[in-house]
Amino acid sequence: MPLAAAPLCLFLGRGLLPWIFATGVCWVAFVIAIALALDLSGGSVITYQMGGWAPPLGIEYRLDALSAVALLIVTGAAAAVSLYSRPSVLREIEPANHGLFYTLFLLCVTGLAGVVATGDAFNVFVFLEVASLSTYCLVALGGRKDRRALSAAYTYLVMGTIGATFFVIGVGLAYMVTGTLNMVDLAQRLPPIGDNRTVAAAFTFIAVGMGMKLAMFPLHLWLPNAYTFAPSAVSAFLAGTSTKVAVYVLIRFLFTVFGLEFDFEQFALIAVFLPLGIAAMFVASIVAIFQVDAKRMLAYSSVAQIGYMILGISLATKTGLTGAILHMGNHAIMKVALFMTMGAIMYRLGTTSIPHMAGLGRDMPWTMAAFVIGGLSLIGVPLTVGFISKWYLIQAALELGWWPIAMLIVMSSLLAVIYVWRIVEMAYLQPSPPNRQISRAPTIMLLPMWVLVLANIYFGIDASFPTTLANQAALLLLGGQP
Amino acid sequence: MSGILQDPGTIILLTMILPTIGAVLIGLTGKWPNLREAVSLLTGVVLIGLVLTLLQHVLNGGEASIELLDVMPGIPLAFEIERLGMMFAVVASVLWTVNTVYGIGYMRGNNEDNHTRFFACFAVAIGSTMGIAFAGNVFTLFVFYEILTLSTYPLVTHKGTPEAQAGGRRYLGLLMGTSIGFFLVAIIWTWAIAGTLDFELGGILAGSVDEGIVPILLALYMFGIGKAALMPFHFWLPAAMVAPTPVSAFLHAVAVVKAGVFSVLKVVVYVFGVDFLAGTGANIWLIWVASATILLASIVAMTKDNLKARLAYSTVGQLAYVVLGAAMATSLGIVGGAMQIAMHAMGKITLFMCAGAIYVAAHKTLVSELDGLGRKMPFTFAAFFIGSLSIIGLPPTGGAWSKWFLMQGSVEAGDIILIFVLMLSSVLNVAYLIPIAIRGFFAGTEFAGAQPAPVGAAVSPDAKTGGWWQNIEEAPILCVIPLCLTALGCIVLFFFVDPIAAYLNEMLVPVEAPVLPDPTPTTE
């Protein structure tokens, strides 16, 4: 587990150094994650015992196909964003804080990767807090250009802490009944205990806590502000990773730890998660349509997209889970790319309000083209990744014979057409204001942006690698024991 | 070079790659208009060459298919040639090239902006049309269907005015809405039921689907293919009229709507299977919807004074003929429907190019303004007249034959009422098309004494000077030649219909031969 190691030694002043170091670390981590994912797509499991203690006692790290997906997302997003961040950080964050920024950034990456890699329920909480605390600070760093970032960070802090507390209470309850914190052990010991109140309470606390963290529909209030006011690089990174990791934890607990044996869990999936997922898809999309600020619009769109994942999870079939896991990865790819375009626009234009983007298609052709492709992916147009995951979700709904749900999925995709197209029309069909002098975005921003955009298309055309991985993950989850 | 070109699979790919390369080159040569237009034309000519090579291959009884990669396990991006798609490809590539010539004349004659973007999108659109024509499974068809929608969107909104934006919004909204909302669902449903998405003669659904679902699935497909403009999802077509005329011609005749009805035929023949569909009786409602569309659209067309709007509604009606042919689920109906694709393409592109020429030369857009214009633009109006005949379905034009086969199809299907629908529709077509040519030639000046119409009076000063040739104020030559060619094409098609009919008939032969193709081989 090389990821938990190192990168704290980052008080290297304020020059180029922190950036180079952070970027290097992220890329190394990404490469390792790819290697691990290739290994794991076969369905094997890698474990590592921290400090050499045997699993039930010591803390165990354990990776399977699902963790591989999440790990890829985290490290991939980190690698892309770290490369990208340089100009935007220079512009948006006070020079004195640059070292701090990269330190926090790496901490956050470490925390998220740790959550994904660990096999211990309490350790999840620890890493989650590492990641969250650094995230709060990262969001607050946006306070230079807009003081509202501070209040956004504060809201996020409060909501996030409540979520984490709920989660830890849930874990505590589970520990109370089973006497173990290791996930594999938990998974073995919970079912025999059966349907008792404590287990149900543990389940509820964990689900609600994670729901908070992953911005499940009625608990999403922190997200739009945090994404809107955070520095661009931070928004891009958060959009791709933090909620995804929370989704990962939720899936992990729902399927691996608790399994599908419990009545109350079945009930929760069908009666709570399913309607909430659908509500998120619609309410958040509709709210997104009426946003003036593009970053905020994308933030609401994130809430809606999380709705798709929740929906996929709630179907609890192989195809549904495959769709949810795929969407986790795919949404990360497209949202990071989209937030990067916003960062580039912010960098050149100084604002991301949609009316100011008139004519931007001519002034920043590469950035806007990236936005269009990312937007198409968000809609779920064929040949983009968004299409693949929607395909699986719809297929899952149809396999169960729930065709109204399939119709709802496509209807909400159409809402995405509306909000994406507002920007496209503004950028391409409106004349630019006469006295605006804007050059294209810096290459170092365009490069990672376009790598992601091309990944969007590539994995939309040749989706066999992610689908096998996601399929494998879904199989493991539904097979009970990983 | 020749080694590569002998493999039909490669040629199929080339038909899509070539226009893409063309589009890139057009983008790069944007600064030199003549060079750029040369690239466009060269693309067109080479494309026709490629398509004809494939046609030769098909006529020799050859088959070809190529499978790229699995997009998802079991769902590859695949292409194959079969007769229907082949015909569509020939029609589309030939008319595209003609239309490009016309487009160059029109865009220059009208001083439109953004030529480079225009021609680049034009090239991408024909590439995706080829993809549709040669698609080997429903999934591939859907992919290129969406690319076509997206690549034509900049064409529709080309002018960038608020109306163009509104029209474009409606265009995109409706086409995307129906395709994602219904078509995609239908495809995934099919995948869930049949376990395959390949096009197979006799269909892939037979035997594995509950009969109660068939009408629902058919509805999802038919309304999902919004490009076929079946009522009530036809509004995008009149809305798209804001586009420059070459685009309208492209939308209406060459690619977009044709891609729609082509997809309808493909789905009926290769997904449902003609016999299966007729057997379940799921096609009955479709027959009525198509008939209603035919009649209603013709009636609406009569009320439109804007020439392009009138033609747009005419297209809606004419497309429903193809859907009707498919809905009959008889072999003659299918042949008639397929033939209608070609005949209507030829006729409608003529009409649209005429409308465009009139706009370039005289800046007239309303039917009521056309009085006497035929004497100034005799070629254009003669072509218009011929095109009208073909749309109506009168000899000596190609349109007569497709109507003929459709009527035979309705006899075969045992629906005599349909014959009356078709006849009534032809009468309506006469009512809204012929007056246009008549106004052009006969109304106005010479009879102005008897007619107090101020519109005619406006034209009179020019009309009185000298012989008839001196009054001619035709559109640019690049506009006029293509429309004369396609008008001639309408007549030529009348006399050479036999090979086409034979060709299309062969498409359906294997349907009757093997009763059961083999019950759905792939299960995951």
Side-chain angles (χ1 to χ4, degrees):
Chain A
M1 289 306 101
L3 293 165
L8 291 181
C9 49
L10 258 200
F11 301 97
L12 296 171
R14 56 177 75 168
L16 263 175
L17 239 47
W19 175 60
I20 294 176
F21 184 75
T23 310
V25 170
C26 290
W27 279 96
V28 171
F30 183 46
V31 170
I32 295 172
I34 292 177
L36 283 173
L38 287 176
D39 258 12
L40 293 168
S41 62
S44 54
V45 173
I46 298 176
T47 57
Y48 171 83
Q49 278 119 34
M50 189 80 160
W53 294 85
L57 294 174
I59 293 171
E60 181 198 28
Y61 289 89
R62 143 179 218 101
L63 284 168
D64 59 13
L66 177 64
S67 347
V69 175
L71 202 56
L72 270 183
I73 296 172
V74 171
T75 53
V81 171
S82 58
L83 184 60
Y84 164 92
S85 60
R86 175 88 185 138
S88 125
V89 167
L90 279 182
R91 179 68 56 95
E92 292 174 27
I93 295 175
E94 287 170 43
N97 287 339
H98 286 179
L100 184 62
F101 172 83
Y102 286 106
T103 313
L104 287 169
F105 183 76
L106 284 178
L107 257 181
C108 185
V109 176
T110 314
L112 293 171
V115 171
V116 171
T118 187
D120 182 280
F122 187 73
N123 209 355
V124 168
F125 168 71
V126 173
F127 277 119
L128 207 54
E129 280 309 280
V130 170
S132 302
L133 289 172
S134 49
T135 318
Y136 307 144
C137 302
L138 284 174
V139 172
L141 282 179
R144 183 191 183 192
K145 65 177 162 41
D146 192 337
R147 305 304 290 178
R148 280 178 293 179
L150 297 179
S151 74
Y154 187 68
T155 324
Y156 185 19
L157 171 72
V158 172
M159 301 277 286
T161 311
I162 296 175
T165 315
F166 269 55
F167 177 74
V168 96
I169 293 174
V171 172
L173 287 172
Y175 180 67
M176 206 169 87
V177 233
T178 57
T180 178
L181 283 172
N182 186 288
M183 289 194 204
V184 180
D185 280 358
L186 274 173
Q188 278 163 356
R189 294 190 200 172
L190 274 175
I193 295 170
D195 223 342
N196 93 19
R197 288 244 173 105
T198 322
V199 180
F203 174 81
T204 317
F205 272 114
I206 289 176
V208 173
M210 277 301 117
M212 213 95 154
K213 286 269 179 199
L214 62 78
M216 198 161 90
F217 165 57
L219 308 174
H220 67 273
L221 295 171
W222 58 269
L223 186 139
N225 278 326
Y227 282 15
T228 313
F229 298 120
S232 308
V234 176
S235 320
F237 182 66
L238 287 187
T241 52
S242 69
T243 52
K244 306 297 172 301
V245 167
V247 171
Y248 161 83
V249 175
L250 184 70
I251 295 180
R252 182 56 89 202
F253 274 85
L254 282 181
F255 293 96
T256 310
V257 174
F258 283 89
L260 280 172
E261 287 90 352
F262 295 102
D263 289 343
F264 60 80
E265 186 178 341
Q266 305 273 10
F267 171 77
L269 284 178
I270 300 300
V272 181
F273 282 58
L274 182 67
L276 286 183
I278 291 175
M281 278 154 46
F282 279 90
V283 177
S285 297
I286 290 170
V287 175
I289 291 174
F290 294 104
Q291 295 307 315
V292 179
D293 187 281
K295 260 172 112 177
R296 211 179 171 77
M297 184 201 88
L298 287 179
Y300 273 106
S301 142
S302 278
V303 177
Q305 302 292 323
I306 289 165
Y308 287 108
M309 293 168 220
I310 299 292
L311 176 70
I313 293 171
S314 71
L315 295 175
T317 60
K318 184 175 133 258
T319 329
L321 267 181
T322 310
I325 295 167
L326 267 179
H327 202 58
M328 211 164 94
N330 293 346
H331 178 241
I333 299 180
M334 54 188 154
K335 255 313 153 38
V336 174
L338 283 172
F339 270 108
M340 281 182 169
T341 64
M342 286 306 135
I345 291 172
M346 178 65 107
Y347 185 72
R348 284 296 184 218
L349 201 59
T351 171
T352 50
S353 124
I354 296 177
H356 283 94
M357 293 186 191
L360 217 53
R362 273 178 292 280
D363 294 331
M364 302 177 73
W366 288 98
T367 310
M368 285 322 287
F371 180 85
V372 170
I373 297 177
L376 289 178
S377 189
L378 204 56
I379 298 168
V381 172
L383 300 186
T384 59
V385 286
F387 176 72
I388 308 284
S389 35
K390 287 208 176 132
W391 174 285
Y392 273 96
L393 288 175
I394 296 173
Q395 194 188 336
L398 286 174
E399 274 173 359
L400 288 172
W402 296 350
W403 58 269
I405 291 180
M407 294 309 285
L408 289 174
I409 295 176
V410 292
M411 276 166 63
S412 70
S413 325
L414 295 177
L415 293 174
V417 178
I418 302 178
Y419 59 73
V420 170
W421 228 255
R422 283 174 63 217
I423 294 185
V424 173
E425 275 188 0
M426 190 56 79
Y428 284 94
L429 295 176
Q430 299 287 344
S432 39
N435 49 5
R436 189 174 63 192
Q437 291 294 322
I438 288 188
S439 52
R440 59 184 56 180
T443 316
I444 198 126
M445 293 179 112
L446 284 176
L447 195 71
M449 190 195 298
W450 271 91
V451 167
L452 285 174
V453 165
L454 292 178
N456 243 318
I457 296 177
Y458 179 75
F459 288 119
I461 295 175
D462 183 9
S464 43
F465 171 66
T467 43
T468 357
L469 199 60
N471 217 331
Q472 192 63 46
L475 266 180
L476 284 177
L477 289 171
L478 291 174
Q481 303 303 314
Chain B
M1 189 68 191
S2 64
I4 301 170
L5 286 181
Q6 261 147 27
D7 175 29
T10 322
I11 302 183
I12 296 182
L13 285 185
L14 276 179
T15 57
M16 278 157 274
I17 296 169
L18 176 78
T20 317
I21 297 174
V24 173
L25 284 180
I26 290 169
L28 291 179
T29 55
K31 291 190 183 108
W32 306 280
N34 287 327
L35 189 61
R36 178 188 65 206
E37 260 77 295
V39 172
S40 274
L41 290 178
L42 192 66
T43 309
V45 172
V46 178
L47 184 64
I48 293 180
L50 289 174
V51 171
L52 288 182
T53 325
L54 284 176
L55 179 66
Q56 194 62 38
H57 182 71
V58 172
L59 288 179
N60 291 337
E63 283 178 352
S65 59
I66 186 163
E67 210 166 273
L68 289 181
L69 69 182
D70 272 16
V71 173
M72 279 169 278
I75 307 176
L77 209 55
F79 302 99
E80 64 177 347
I81 43 176
E82 43 73 53
R83 288 174 170 253
L84 187 60
M86 197 60 242
M87 186 199 74
F88 179 47
V90 172
V91 171
S93 58
V94 171
L95 291 187
W96 184 79
T97 311
V98 174
N99 200 6
T100 306
V101 176
Y102 175 81
I104 295 168
Y106 180 91
M107 297 300 276
R108 293 190 172 185
N110 240 353
N111 294 324
E112 300 263 358
D113 298 326
N114 288 329
H115 288 215
T116 309
R117 182 178 78 191
F118 181 86
F119 286 108
C121 287
F122 224 52
V124 173
I126 189 64
S128 49
T129 311
M130 290 297 124
I132 294 175
F134 294 127
N137 55 34
V138 194
F139 173 73
T140 315
L141 180 79
F142 180 72
V143 167
F144 283 96
Y145 182 94
E146 293 292 20
I147 298 179
L148 183 58
T149 308
L150 291 172
S151 63
T152 45
Y153 171 77
L155 295 176
V156 172
T157 53
H158 186 79
K159 284 182 183 159
T161 56
E163 302 94 75
Q165 256 184 60
R169 211 177 279 171
R170 196 184 279 186
Y171 177 77
L172 194 77
L174 216 102
L175 287 186
M176 284 285 237
T178 52
S179 66
I180 293 181
F182 303 130
F183 195 12
L184 180 60
V185 177
I187 292 173
I188 299 177
W189 204 344
T190 309
W191 167 247
I193 294 170
T196 174
L197 286 175
D198 294 345
F199 287 127
E200 275 171 40
L201 273 173
I204 51 177
L205 286 171
S208 52
V209 61
D210 183 33
E211 294 213 347
I213 296 177
V214 179
I216 304 173
L217 203 51
L218 185 68
L220 283 177
Y221 271 118
M222 292 302 126
F223 291 121
I225 304 173
K227 291 197 172 97
L230 204 58
M231 277 186 182
F233 292 107
H234 65 282
F235 287 104
W236 64 270
L237 243 182
M241 281 299 113
V242 292
T245 310
V247 177
S248 308
F250 184 76
L251 294 178
H252 285 239
V254 182
V256 179
V257 296
K258 290 295 136 61
V261 287
F262 169 75
S263 309
V264 166
L265 281 179
K266 266 296 237 213
V267 165
V268 166
V269 176
Y270 294 101
V271 173
F272 286 94
V274 177
D275 297 336
F276 175 65
L277 197 58
T280 56
N283 55 339
I284 303 294
W285 68 267
L286 187 58
I287 291 183
W288 295 118
V289 172
S291 306
T293 306
I294 291 176
L295 294 180
L296 286 174
S298 299
I299 292 168
V300 175
M302 286 180 12
T303 67
K304 296 286 171 192
D305 192 29
N306 185 310
L307 181 56
K308 278 171 80 178
R310 189 179 282 200
L311 294 180
Y313 273 99
S314 157
T315 303
V316 175
Q318 296 290 320
L319 290 174
Y321 276 73
V322 183
V323 180
L324 182 65
M328 286 173 190
T330 62
S331 52
L332 281 172
I334 301 284
V335 171
M339 200 178 279
Q340 170 77 0
I341 291 184
M343 301 302 181
H344 175 252
M346 203 56 116
K348 205 29 95 46
I349 197 171
T350 313
L351 294 186
F352 268 105
M353 291 198 292
C354 292
I358 293 169
Y359 179 68
V360 173
H363 287 278
K364 299 269 194 284
T365 52
L366 298 182
V367 174
S368 51
E369 294 173 336
L370 298 182
D371 291 5
L373 207 57
R375 287 189 297 278
K376 286 165 84 181
M377 307 177 66
F379 292 106
T380 306
F381 274 79
F384 193 93
F385 182 67
I386 296 170
S388 306
L389 288 185
S390 188
I391 297 294
I392 297 163
L394 291 175
T397 55
W401 288 111
S402 52
K403 309 271 146 94
W404 168 262
F405 277 101
L406 282 174
M407 287 195 186
Q408 279 200 323
S410 49
V411 173
E412 199 182 1
D415 267 319
I416 304 301
I417 306 171
L418 289 184
I419 297 189
F420 288 104
V421 170
L422 290 172
M423 279 163 54
L424 186 57
S425 162
S426 285
V427 172
L428 290 171
N429 292 347
V430 171
Y432 68 76
L433 281 176
I434 294 297
I436 300 174
I438 291 183
R439 263 173 189 276
F441 283 119
F442 302 115
T445 47
E446 255 85 2
F447 308 101
Q451 233 183 26
V455 190
V459 187
S460 56
D462 310 321
K464 280 182 180 148
T465 52
W468 65 273
W469 60 88
Q470 282 170 336
N471 292 335
I472 291 180
E473 287 173 28
E474 277 283 7
I477 190 84
L478 281 180
C479 286
V480 178
I481 290 180
L483 61 88
C484 291
L485 283 178
T486 52
L488 275 179
C490 289
I491 298 180
V492 171
L493 281 177
F494 178 75
F495 294 103
F496 290 94
V497 76
D498 258 5
I500 303 178
Y503 168 84
L504 286 174
N505 251 322
E506 218 159 290
M507 165 182 101
L508 290 161
V509 170
V511 174
E512 286 132 30
V515 183
L516 268 175
D518 69 290
T520 56
T522 41
T523 31
E524 211 187 341

